[in-house]
Every structure is written in C-alpha cells, then in structure tokens.
Amino acid sequence: MNICHRDLKPANLLLNESLKEIFIIDLGESKEIFYDIPEQIKQEMTITGSQKYFSPELEQAFLNNLEKANINPFKSD
C-alpha cells in the first residue's frame, strides 16, 4: 500500500485472538511513499514517533538534534 506508519509500538497494535489477526491503528504520523525498489529507497524524513521505539537510525539522528533523517522509512518502521 506504500504507507509507512512511523509510530509503530505495542499500543498501536490490536490483537484479535480468536481470529489470530493484528490490526495497526493510529495512522496520524503515517506517510504515503512512492518508490520503485523498496530495499534501496532512502528519503529525508521528519523524525517523528515515540522515542522509546525509534529504529537505531532515527535514534542517532534524534540524539544529534536533527529534525530530519535520511532513512528507508519502511525498514525504519
């Protein structure tokens, strides 16, 4: 669907145990990304989400007081 959530964490996942389904909720920080080859995409993205659940790349950019990070948003999710 070309959408990266940008705030994945346990509180944004709902589990339906009887049907064994997981639903992703709270798409307020999500962003639609257009790409040709998802493994190679890197974009300058605003640092957003919950710091406790940042990817290592986002954490490093955040600790360096950057507002944006050059990351693959799908791998960072």
Side-chain angles (χ1 to χ4, degrees), residues 23-36:
F23 298 93
I24 301 172
I25 63 171
D26 189 5
L27 297 167
E29 297 294 334
S30 65
K31 187 169 182 93
E32 186 172 20
I33 304 290
F34 297 98
Y35 61 88
D36 293 325

Side-chain angles (χ1 to χ4, degrees), residues 1-74:
M1 294 179 71
N2 299 339
I3 297 174
C4 56
H5 189 277
R6 303 189 331 145
D7 193 20
L8 283 178
K9 57 186 175 186
N12 288 338
L13 301 174
L14 295 178
L15 175 64
N16 180 336
E17 292 182 37
S18 64
L19 298 177
K20 298 184 179 173
E21 295 177 305
I22 297 175
F23 298 93
I24 301 172
I25 63 171
D26 189 5
L27 297 167
E29 297 294 334
S30 65
K31 187 169 182 93
E32 186 172 20
I33 304 290
F34 297 98
Y35 61 88
D36 293 325
I37 304 171
E39 293 81 26
Q40 296 177 0
I41 185 173
K42 282 201 173 186
Q43 292 191 7
E44 188 172 72
M45 306 284 290
T46 303
I47 298 172
T48 187
S50 302
Q51 183 184 359
K52 182 177 180 180
Y53 299 101
F54 279 171
S55 66
E57 298 87 356
L58 282 180
E59 179 73 18
Q60 188 60 50
F62 179 80
L63 293 174
N64 288 330
N65 294 318
L66 301 176
E67 291 183 19
K68 294 186 176 190
N70 191 27
I71 59 165
N72 179 321
F74 298 101

